[in-house]
Amino acid sequence: MSVDWKNLFRRYGGVSKEADIRISGYLIRPDCLTRDRIRWNDESAARIIADCEKIAEELRGYRQALAARYAELSAMAYSLRLDMIRERGWKGPVTYWLRLVRVYADGHEETEWKKDWPGNERHKALKAYREELKARPGIETKLDIEKSRWEH
């Protein structure tokens, strides 16, 4: 019997990006049961065991899929991008972020490292950005340090 790990991600008739695994059952201690309730509790215990075994099998397949994805990412081509971003929370202070981002061929991104400065140290953040540009000539860049429309 082959169980597909993708079943973990099916919700409400569709496929989800995330899985939430919950096993639920209601049991009563055997020494508190009467004869008529023993059969019901035995069936509940059997159902819970079957659910656990099915989920364990799906999780084994999921782990194999994770290993395959890791191998795929290890061999996938990527480019580097240097980001300088100004971020302001709704009520919070301004923060400047300098990030080195790995952009993979399939389009997803991973941050290699990042540094941040408070808004009153804008000049230090820009200086660090220029230094990184000098150290990495020809790198793709993303500079987004203008005020957002809602800040004006």
Side-chain angles (χ1 to χ4, degrees):
M1 180 174 132
S2 176
V3 180
D4 187 9
W5 62 268
K6 293 177 184 172
N7 291 335
L8 293 170
F9 296 89
R10 293 199 204 311
R11 277 198 229 171
Y12 311 115
V15 178
S16 176
K17 184 178 177 182
E18 301 170 343
D20 184 21
I21 300 170
R22 296 177 191 222
I23 298 172
S24 178
Y26 180 79
L27 303 173
I28 299 172
R29 281 190 3 219
D31 60 341
C32 298
L33 290 172
T34 58
R35 270 192 199 204
D36 57 336
R37 300 296 293 170
I38 289 175
R39 181 175 171 201
W40 184 86
N41 278 273
D42 183 53
E43 289 170 355
S44 292
R47 181 190 50 81
I48 294 168
I49 290 169
D51 289 348
C52 289
E53 289 171 347
K54 179 182 174 215
I55 290 173
E57 190 63 32
E58 290 171 347
L59 288 172
R60 285 185 195 95
Y62 177 70
R63 291 185 71 207
Q64 290 176 347
L66 288 175
R69 176 64 175 164
Y70 187 83
E72 178 185 8
L73 289 175
S74 296
M76 189 179 292
Y78 67 89
S79 62
L80 294 175
R81 184 182 73 218
L82 188 64
D83 292 353
M84 176 60 133
I85 299 184
R86 178 185 188 272
E87 185 177 85
R88 181 181 187 108
W90 180 60
K91 281 189 166 185
V94 172
T95 304
Y96 289 93
W97 292 95
L98 180 61
R99 300 185 301 208
L100 184 63
V101 179
R102 191 182 276 205
V103 182
Y104 286 90
D106 70 353
H108 86 276
E109 302 176 353
E110 290 179 6
T111 301
E112 294 233 340
W113 56 259
K114 62 183 172 182
K115 299 175 190 172
D116 65 285
W117 292 267
N120 60 356
E121 294 183 4
R122 174 186 169 108
H123 63 284
K124 289 181 183 177
L126 290 171
K127 181 180 177 186
Y129 175 72
R130 287 189 295 271
E131 288 173 1
E132 284 295 328
L133 281 178
K134 285 181 187 175
R136 301 169 187 275
I139 191 169
E140 180 185 349
T141 61
K142 178 180 174 185
L143 183 63
D144 182 13
I145 57 172
E146 299 301 318
K147 286 184 177 182
S148 299
R149 289 191 338 225
W150 62 270
E151 292 182 74
H152 294 287

mmCIF file of all heavy atoms in Angstrom, residues 49-90:
data_model
loop_
_atom_site.group_PDB
_atom_site.id
_atom_site.type_symbol
_atom_site.label_atom_id
_atom_site.label_comp_id
_atom_site.label_asym_id
_atom_site.label_seq_id
_atom_site.Cartn_x
_atom_site.Cartn_y
_atom_site.Cartn_z
ATOM 1 N N ILE A 49 -5.126 4.222 16.091
ATOM 2 C CA ILE A 49 -3.913 3.513 15.663
ATOM 3 C C ILE A 49 -3.800 3.533 14.136
ATOM 4 O O ILE A 49 -2.730 3.799 13.582
ATOM 5 C CB ILE A 49 -3.907 2.066 16.201
ATOM 6 C CG1 ILE A 49 -3.710 2.074 17.717
ATOM 7 C CG2 ILE A 49 -2.834 1.228 15.513
ATOM 8 C CD1 ILE A 49 -3.954 0.735 18.377
ATOM 9 N N ALA A 50 -4.902 3.280 13.431
ATOM 10 C CA ALA A 50 -4.884 3.295 11.960
ATOM 11 C C ALA A 50 -4.538 4.690 11.437
ATOM 12 O O ALA A 50 -3.754 4.823 10.485
ATOM 13 C CB ALA A 50 -6.227 2.833 11.417
ATOM 14 N N ASP A 51 -5.106 5.724 12.058
ATOM 15 C CA ASP A 51 -4.794 7.096 11.654
ATOM 16 C C ASP A 51 -3.303 7.400 11.856
ATOM 17 O O ASP A 51 -2.660 8.002 10.992
ATOM 18 C CB ASP A 51 -5.625 8.109 12.449
ATOM 19 C CG ASP A 51 -7.094 8.113 12.067
ATOM 20 O OD1 ASP A 51 -7.456 7.497 11.040
ATOM 21 O OD2 ASP A 51 -7.884 8.740 12.812
ATOM 22 N N CYS A 52 -2.759 6.973 12.987
ATOM 23 C CA CYS A 52 -1.337 7.202 13.277
ATOM 24 C C CYS A 52 -0.451 6.489 12.259
ATOM 25 O O CYS A 52 0.539 7.058 11.780
ATOM 26 C CB CYS A 52 -0.990 6.734 14.685
ATOM 27 S SG CYS A 52 -1.671 7.763 15.998
ATOM 28 N N GLU A 53 -0.791 5.253 11.928
ATOM 29 C CA GLU A 53 0.015 4.500 10.964
ATOM 30 C C GLU A 53 -0.050 5.146 9.579
ATOM 31 O O GLU A 53 0.966 5.229 8.887
ATOM 32 C CB GLU A 53 -0.441 3.047 10.915
ATOM 33 C CG GLU A 53 -0.062 2.281 12.172
ATOM 34 C CD GLU A 53 -0.680 0.894 12.257
ATOM 35 O OE1 GLU A 53 -1.606 0.593 11.462
ATOM 36 O OE2 GLU A 53 -0.232 0.125 13.122
ATOM 37 N N LYS A 54 -1.232 5.607 9.183
ATOM 38 C CA LYS A 54 -1.375 6.252 7.872
ATOM 39 C C LYS A 54 -0.564 7.542 7.827
ATOM 40 O O LYS A 54 0.166 7.799 6.862
ATOM 41 C CB LYS A 54 -2.847 6.549 7.593
ATOM 42 C CG LYS A 54 -3.080 7.232 6.267
ATOM 43 C CD LYS A 54 -4.550 7.552 6.068
ATOM 44 C CE LYS A 54 -4.716 8.368 4.808
ATOM 45 N NZ LYS A 54 -5.750 9.344 4.895
ATOM 46 N N ILE A 55 -0.649 8.352 8.863
ATOM 47 C CA ILE A 55 0.098 9.607 8.901
ATOM 48 C C ILE A 55 1.596 9.333 8.958
ATOM 49 O O ILE A 55 2.382 10.034 8.309
ATOM 50 C CB ILE A 55 -0.377 10.487 10.068
ATOM 51 C CG1 ILE A 55 -1.780 11.008 9.765
ATOM 52 C CG2 ILE A 55 0.577 11.645 10.333
ATOM 53 C CD1 ILE A 55 -2.440 11.743 10.895
ATOM 54 N N ALA A 56 2.005 8.325 9.694
ATOM 55 C CA ALA A 56 3.432 7.975 9.752
ATOM 56 C C ALA A 56 3.947 7.606 8.361
ATOM 57 O O ALA A 56 5.042 8.022 7.960
ATOM 58 C CB ALA A 56 3.659 6.833 10.734
ATOM 59 N N GLU A 57 3.162 6.859 7.600
ATOM 60 C CA GLU A 57 3.557 6.478 6.238
ATOM 61 C C GLU A 57 3.630 7.712 5.334
ATOM 62 O O GLU A 57 4.568 7.859 4.545
ATOM 63 C CB GLU A 57 2.570 5.452 5.672
ATOM 64 C CG GLU A 57 3.008 4.831 4.381
ATOM 65 C CD GLU A 57 4.288 4.028 4.497
ATOM 66 O OE1 GLU A 57 4.552 3.440 5.561
ATOM 67 O OE2 GLU A 57 5.038 3.987 3.498
ATOM 68 N N GLU A 58 2.668 8.614 5.457
ATOM 69 C CA GLU A 58 2.694 9.851 4.667
ATOM 70 C C GLU A 58 3.909 10.701 5.033
ATOM 71 O O GLU A 58 4.550 11.296 4.157
ATOM 72 C CB GLU A 58 1.410 10.656 4.890
ATOM 73 C CG GLU A 58 0.182 10.014 4.276
ATOM 74 C CD GLU A 58 -1.125 10.678 4.677
ATOM 75 O OE1 GLU A 58 -1.132 11.491 5.624
ATOM 76 O OE2 GLU A 58 -2.136 10.363 4.038
ATOM 77 N N LEU A 59 4.249 10.749 6.308
ATOM 78 C CA LEU A 59 5.405 11.527 6.746
ATOM 79 C C LEU A 59 6.720 10.916 6.259
ATOM 80 O O LEU A 59 7.670 11.653 5.973
ATOM 81 C CB LEU A 59 5.403 11.675 8.268
ATOM 82 C CG LEU A 59 4.332 12.614 8.816
ATOM 83 C CD1 LEU A 59 4.279 12.533 10.339
ATOM 84 C CD2 LEU A 59 4.586 14.044 8.370
ATOM 85 N N ARG A 60 6.778 9.603 6.136
ATOM 86 C CA ARG A 60 7.977 8.974 5.562
ATOM 87 C C ARG A 60 8.157 9.417 4.104
ATOM 88 O O ARG A 60 9.264 9.745 3.675
ATOM 89 C CB ARG A 60 7.879 7.456 5.660
ATOM 90 C CG ARG A 60 8.121 6.937 7.052
ATOM 91 C CD ARG A 60 8.139 5.401 7.105
ATOM 92 N NE ARG A 60 8.009 4.976 8.470
ATOM 93 C CZ ARG A 60 6.851 4.635 9.052
ATOM 94 N NH1 ARG A 60 5.725 4.630 8.361
ATOM 95 N NH2 ARG A 60 6.823 4.281 10.320
ATOM 96 N N GLY A 61 7.062 9.434 3.356
ATOM 97 C CA GLY A 61 7.118 9.917 1.978
ATOM 98 C C GLY A 61 7.472 11.398 1.909
ATOM 99 O O GLY A 61 8.214 11.829 1.023
ATOM 100 N N TYR A 62 6.959 12.171 2.846
ATOM 101 C CA TYR A 62 7.263 13.600 2.910
ATOM 102 C C TYR A 62 8.756 13.818 3.149
ATOM 103 O O TYR A 62 9.367 14.691 2.515
ATOM 104 C CB TYR A 62 6.436 14.246 4.020
ATOM 105 C CG TYR A 62 6.703 15.710 4.229
ATOM 106 C CD1 TYR A 62 6.310 16.642 3.276
ATOM 107 C CD2 TYR A 62 7.342 16.167 5.368
ATOM 108 C CE1 TYR A 62 6.551 17.996 3.458
ATOM 109 C CE2 TYR A 62 7.590 17.517 5.565
ATOM 110 C CZ TYR A 62 7.196 18.420 4.616
ATOM 111 O OH TYR A 62 7.440 19.755 4.792
ATOM 112 N N ARG A 63 9.346 13.039 4.025
ATOM 113 C CA ARG A 63 10.782 13.164 4.283
ATOM 114 C C ARG A 63 11.596 12.836 3.037
ATOM 115 O O ARG A 63 12.610 13.477 2.758
ATOM 116 C CB ARG A 63 11.189 12.258 5.443
ATOM 117 C CG ARG A 63 10.625 12.743 6.781
ATOM 118 C CD ARG A 63 11.123 11.931 7.932
ATOM 119 N NE ARG A 63 12.535 12.238 8.142
ATOM 120 C CZ ARG A 63 13.397 11.387 8.675
ATOM 121 N NH1 ARG A 63 13.016 10.183 9.038
ATOM 122 N NH2 ARG A 63 14.655 11.725 8.845
ATOM 123 N N GLN A 64 11.160 11.860 2.267
ATOM 124 C CA GLN A 64 11.849 11.539 1.012
ATOM 125 C C GLN A 64 11.716 12.697 0.020
ATOM 126 O O GLN A 64 12.663 13.029 -0.692
ATOM 127 C CB GLN A 64 11.295 10.252 0.413
ATOM 128 C CG GLN A 64 11.669 9.022 1.213
ATOM 129 C CD GLN A 64 11.030 7.759 0.662
ATOM 130 O OE1 GLN A 64 10.131 7.811 -0.163
ATOM 131 N NE2 GLN A 64 11.506 6.614 1.143
ATOM 132 N N ALA A 65 10.549 13.319 -0.034
ATOM 133 C CA ALA A 65 10.351 14.469 -0.914
ATOM 134 C C ALA A 65 11.224 15.648 -0.477
ATOM 135 O O ALA A 65 11.745 16.391 -1.319
ATOM 136 C CB ALA A 65 8.872 14.867 -0.936
ATOM 137 N N LEU A 66 11.399 15.822 0.831
ATOM 138 C CA LEU A 66 12.282 16.883 1.330
ATOM 139 C C LEU A 66 13.724 16.643 0.881
ATOM 140 O O LEU A 66 14.418 17.576 0.463
ATOM 141 C CB LEU A 66 12.228 16.956 2.858
ATOM 142 C CG LEU A 66 10.964 17.522 3.484
ATOM 143 C CD1 LEU A 66 11.028 17.396 5.000
ATOM 144 C CD2 LEU A 66 10.753 18.963 3.082
ATOM 145 N N ALA A 67 14.180 15.398 0.969
ATOM 146 C CA ALA A 67 15.537 15.067 0.541
ATOM 147 C C ALA A 67 15.721 15.323 -0.958
ATOM 148 O O ALA A 67 16.748 15.847 -1.388
ATOM 149 C CB ALA A 67 15.860 13.616 0.879
ATOM 150 N N ALA A 68 14.707 14.981 -1.744
ATOM 151 C CA ALA A 68 14.775 15.218 -3.185
ATOM 152 C C ALA A 68 14.823 16.722 -3.474
ATOM 153 O O ALA A 68 15.579 17.168 -4.355
ATOM 154 C CB ALA A 68 13.585 14.578 -3.884
ATOM 155 N N ARG A 69 14.038 17.516 -2.755
ATOM 156 C CA ARG A 69 14.030 18.971 -2.962
ATOM 157 C C ARG A 69 15.372 19.573 -2.567
ATOM 158 O O ARG A 69 15.886 20.470 -3.244
ATOM 159 C CB ARG A 69 12.898 19.611 -2.153
ATOM 160 C CG ARG A 69 12.849 21.119 -2.223
ATOM 161 C CD ARG A 69 12.557 21.632 -3.613
ATOM 162 N NE ARG A 69 12.402 23.082 -3.582
ATOM 163 C CZ ARG A 69 12.438 23.852 -4.634
ATOM 164 N NH1 ARG A 69 12.593 23.338 -5.836
ATOM 165 N NH2 ARG A 69 12.308 25.144 -4.515
ATOM 166 N N TYR A 70 15.962 19.086 -1.490
ATOM 167 C CA TYR A 70 17.268 19.585 -1.063
ATOM 168 C C TYR A 70 18.318 19.303 -2.136
ATOM 169 O O TYR A 70 19.124 20.172 -2.472
ATOM 170 C CB TYR A 70 17.672 18.940 0.266
ATOM 171 C CG TYR A 70 18.921 19.530 0.848
ATOM 172 C CD1 TYR A 70 18.859 20.694 1.597
ATOM 173 C CD2 TYR A 70 20.166 18.953 0.635
ATOM 174 C CE1 TYR A 70 20.003 21.261 2.129
ATOM 175 C CE2 TYR A 70 21.314 19.510 1.155
ATOM 176 C CZ TYR A 70 21.230 20.668 1.909
ATOM 177 O OH TYR A 70 22.363 21.224 2.426
ATOM 178 N N ALA A 71 18.288 18.106 -2.700
ATOM 179 C CA ALA A 71 19.230 17.752 -3.761
ATOM 180 C C ALA A 71 19.008 18.631 -4.991
ATOM 181 O O ALA A 71 19.966 19.074 -5.630
ATOM 182 C CB ALA A 71 19.085 16.275 -4.121
ATOM 183 N N GLU A 72 17.751 18.890 -5.316
ATOM 184 C CA GLU A 72 17.414 19.736 -6.466
ATOM 185 C C GLU A 72 17.948 21.153 -6.258
ATOM 186 O O GLU A 72 18.542 21.741 -7.168
ATOM 187 C CB GLU A 72 15.897 19.759 -6.644
ATOM 188 C CG GLU A 72 15.405 20.631 -7.768
ATOM 189 C CD GLU A 72 13.881 20.720 -7.816
ATOM 190 O OE1 GLU A 72 13.215 20.237 -6.885
ATOM 191 O OE2 GLU A 72 13.379 21.295 -8.790
ATOM 192 N N LEU A 73 17.753 21.714 -5.064
ATOM 193 C CA LEU A 73 18.231 23.066 -4.772
ATOM 194 C C LEU A 73 19.754 23.138 -4.770
ATOM 195 O O LEU A 73 20.337 24.150 -5.171
ATOM 196 C CB LEU A 73 17.684 23.561 -3.432
ATOM 197 C CG LEU A 73 16.204 23.892 -3.401
ATOM 198 C CD1 LEU A 73 15.776 24.250 -1.986
ATOM 199 C CD2 LEU A 73 15.875 25.006 -4.355
ATOM 200 N N SER A 74 20.395 22.075 -4.313
ATOM 201 C CA SER A 74 21.856 22.064 -4.269
ATOM 202 C C SER A 74 22.460 22.128 -5.663
ATOM 203 O O SER A 74 23.549 22.663 -5.851
ATOM 204 C CB SER A 74 22.351 20.807 -3.551
ATOM 205 O OG SER A 74 21.927 20.816 -2.219
ATOM 206 N N ALA A 75 21.762 21.584 -6.646
ATOM 207 C CA ALA A 75 22.278 21.560 -8.017
ATOM 208 C C ALA A 75 21.708 22.675 -8.891
ATOM 209 O O ALA A 75 22.169 22.871 -10.013
ATOM 210 C CB ALA A 75 21.962 20.214 -8.646
ATOM 211 N N MET A 76 20.731 23.426 -8.398
ATOM 212 C CA MET A 76 20.053 24.433 -9.208
ATOM 213 C C MET A 76 20.913 25.690 -9.378
ATOM 214 O O MET A 76 21.595 26.123 -8.451
ATOM 215 C CB MET A 76 18.725 24.819 -8.544
ATOM 216 C CG MET A 76 17.846 25.696 -9.411
ATOM 217 S SD MET A 76 16.272 26.096 -8.611
ATOM 218 C CE MET A 76 15.480 24.511 -8.590
ATOM 219 N N ALA A 77 20.852 26.274 -10.558
ATOM 220 C CA ALA A 77 21.559 27.524 -10.829
ATOM 221 C C ALA A 77 20.905 28.673 -10.065
ATOM 222 O O ALA A 77 19.690 28.672 -9.849
ATOM 223 C CB ALA A 77 21.528 27.815 -12.328
ATOM 224 N N TYR A 78 21.718 29.645 -9.662
ATOM 225 C CA TYR A 78 21.195 30.808 -8.956
ATOM 226 C C TYR A 78 22.053 32.020 -9.271
ATOM 227 O O TYR A 78 23.174 31.907 -9.762
ATOM 228 C CB TYR A 78 21.140 30.578 -7.446
ATOM 229 C CG TYR A 78 22.492 30.439 -6.788
ATOM 230 C CD1 TYR A 78 23.171 31.555 -6.313
ATOM 231 C CD2 TYR A 78 23.090 29.201 -6.645
ATOM 232 C CE1 TYR A 78 24.412 31.438 -5.717
ATOM 233 C CE2 TYR A 78 24.330 29.074 -6.052
ATOM 234 C CZ TYR A 78 24.987 30.186 -5.582
ATOM 235 O OH TYR A 78 26.213 30.069 -5.004
ATOM 236 N N SER A 79 21.506 33.197 -8.989
ATOM 237 C CA SER A 79 22.262 34.444 -9.094
ATOM 238 C C SER A 79 22.098 35.189 -7.777
ATOM 239 O O SER A 79 21.183 34.909 -7.000
ATOM 240 C CB SER A 79 21.758 35.284 -10.267
ATOM 241 O OG SER A 79 20.408 35.644 -10.059
ATOM 242 N N LEU A 80 22.981 36.144 -7.539
ATOM 243 C CA LEU A 80 22.922 36.925 -6.306
ATOM 244 C C LEU A 80 22.369 38.315 -6.599
ATOM 245 O O LEU A 80 22.588 38.875 -7.673
ATOM 246 C CB LEU A 80 24.312 37.044 -5.680
ATOM 247 C CG LEU A 80 24.919 35.745 -5.162
ATOM 248 C CD1 LEU A 80 26.340 35.995 -4.686
ATOM 249 C CD2 LEU A 80 24.088 35.154 -4.043
ATOM 250 N N ARG A 81 21.652 38.851 -5.619
ATOM 251 C CA ARG A 81 21.104 40.199 -5.733
ATOM 252 C C ARG A 81 21.324 40.917 -4.408
ATOM 253 O O ARG A 81 21.149 40.347 -3.328
ATOM 254 C CB ARG A 81 19.605 40.127 -6.033
ATOM 255 C CG ARG A 81 18.983 41.503 -6.269
ATOM 256 C CD ARG A 81 17.497 41.423 -6.525
ATOM 257 N NE ARG A 81 16.825 41.119 -5.272
ATOM 258 C CZ ARG A 81 15.764 40.309 -5.174
ATOM 259 N NH1 ARG A 81 15.267 39.727 -6.232
ATOM 260 N NH2 ARG A 81 15.205 40.095 -4.000
ATOM 261 N N LEU A 82 21.708 42.177 -4.494
ATOM 262 C CA LEU A 82 21.914 43.003 -3.312
ATOM 263 C C LEU A 82 20.715 43.929 -3.159
ATOM 264 O O LEU A 82 20.393 44.687 -4.071
ATOM 265 C CB LEU A 82 23.208 43.817 -3.464
ATOM 266 C CG LEU A 82 23.666 44.590 -2.244
ATOM 267 C CD1 LEU A 82 24.008 43.641 -1.097
ATOM 268 C CD2 LEU A 82 24.870 45.447 -2.597
ATOM 269 N N ASP A 83 20.031 43.859 -2.035
ATOM 270 C CA ASP A 83 18.838 44.660 -1.766
ATOM 271 C C ASP A 83 19.128 45.694 -0.691
ATOM 272 O O ASP A 83 19.729 45.374 0.332
ATOM 273 C CB ASP A 83 17.690 43.797 -1.245
ATOM 274 C CG ASP A 83 17.131 42.836 -2.265
ATOM 275 O OD1 ASP A 83 17.528 42.908 -3.436
ATOM 276 O OD2 ASP A 83 16.274 42.013 -1.885
ATOM 277 N N MET A 84 18.686 46.919 -0.928
ATOM 278 C CA MET A 84 18.681 47.949 0.104
ATOM 279 C C MET A 84 17.241 48.423 0.189
ATOM 280 O O MET A 84 16.696 48.974 -0.772
ATOM 281 C CB MET A 84 19.605 49.103 -0.273
ATOM 282 C CG MET A 84 19.547 50.216 0.729
ATOM 283 S SD MET A 84 20.040 49.652 2.343
ATOM 284 C CE MET A 84 21.141 50.894 2.818
ATOM 285 N N ILE A 85 16.616 48.185 1.332
ATOM 286 C CA ILE A 85 15.189 48.440 1.471
ATOM 287 C C ILE A 85 14.919 49.296 2.700
ATOM 288 O O ILE A 85 15.479 49.062 3.772
ATOM 289 C CB ILE A 85 14.423 47.102 1.568
ATOM 290 C CG1 ILE A 85 14.666 46.333 0.292
ATOM 291 C CG2 ILE A 85 12.952 47.330 1.839
ATOM 292 C CD1 ILE A 85 13.954 45.063 0.141
ATOM 293 N N ARG A 86 14.051 50.264 2.515
ATOM 294 C CA ARG A 86 13.580 51.099 3.614
ATOM 295 C C ARG A 86 12.224 50.549 4.033
ATOM 296 O O ARG A 86 11.336 50.375 3.215
ATOM 297 C CB ARG A 86 13.421 52.541 3.147
ATOM 298 C CG ARG A 86 12.888 53.481 4.200
ATOM 299 C CD ARG A 86 12.665 54.859 3.561
ATOM 300 N NE ARG A 86 12.334 55.855 4.540
ATOM 301 C CZ ARG A 86 11.112 56.131 4.957
ATOM 302 N NH1 ARG A 86 10.087 55.462 4.487
ATOM 303 N NH2 ARG A 86 10.897 57.078 5.851
ATOM 304 N N GLU A 87 12.086 50.294 5.307
ATOM 305 C CA GLU A 87 10.841 49.711 5.801
ATOM 306 C C GLU A 87 10.333 50.538 6.976
ATOM 307 O O GLU A 87 11.095 50.869 7.877
ATOM 308 C CB GLU A 87 11.122 48.273 6.251
ATOM 309 C CG GLU A 87 9.920 47.507 6.666
ATOM 310 C CD GLU A 87 10.306 46.080 7.029
ATOM 311 O OE1 GLU A 87 10.713 45.870 8.191
ATOM 312 O OE2 GLU A 87 10.231 45.206 6.166
ATOM 313 N N ARG A 88 9.064 50.855 6.916
ATOM 314 C CA ARG A 88 8.462 51.586 8.032
ATOM 315 C C ARG A 88 7.186 50.867 8.422
ATOM 316 O O ARG A 88 6.315 50.635 7.601
ATOM 317 C CB ARG A 88 8.140 53.017 7.641
ATOM 318 C CG ARG A 88 7.534 53.779 8.801
ATOM 319 C CD ARG A 88 7.174 55.200 8.425
ATOM 320 N NE ARG A 88 6.769 55.904 9.623
ATOM 321 C CZ ARG A 88 7.483 56.840 10.213
ATOM 322 N NH1 ARG A 88 8.635 57.195 9.721
ATOM 323 N NH2 ARG A 88 7.041 57.430 11.301
ATOM 324 N N GLY A 89 7.089 50.554 9.692
ATOM 325 C CA GLY A 89 5.883 49.940 10.206
ATOM 326 C C GLY A 89 4.775 50.971 10.311
ATOM 327 O O GLY A 89 4.986 52.175 10.142
ATOM 328 N N TRP A 90 3.597 50.520 10.626
ATOM 329 C CA TRP A 90 2.449 51.408 10.726
ATOM 330 C C TRP A 90 2.701 52.515 11.741
ATOM 331 O O TRP A 90 2.487 53.676 11.478
ATOM 332 C CB TRP A 90 1.214 50.599 11.095
ATOM 333 C CG TRP A 90 -0.001 51.424 11.210
ATOM 334 C CD1 TRP A 90 -0.570 52.186 10.226
ATOM 335 C CD2 TRP A 90 -0.800 51.609 12.366
ATOM 336 N NE1 TRP A 90 -1.683 52.825 10.699
ATOM 337 C CE2 TRP A 90 -1.860 52.477 12.034
ATOM 338 C CE3 TRP A 90 -0.752 51.115 13.658
ATOM 339 C CZ2 TRP A 90 -2.821 52.862 12.932
ATOM 340 C CZ3 TRP A 90 -1.725 51.499 14.552
ATOM 341 C CH2 TRP A 90 -2.748 52.362 14.185
#
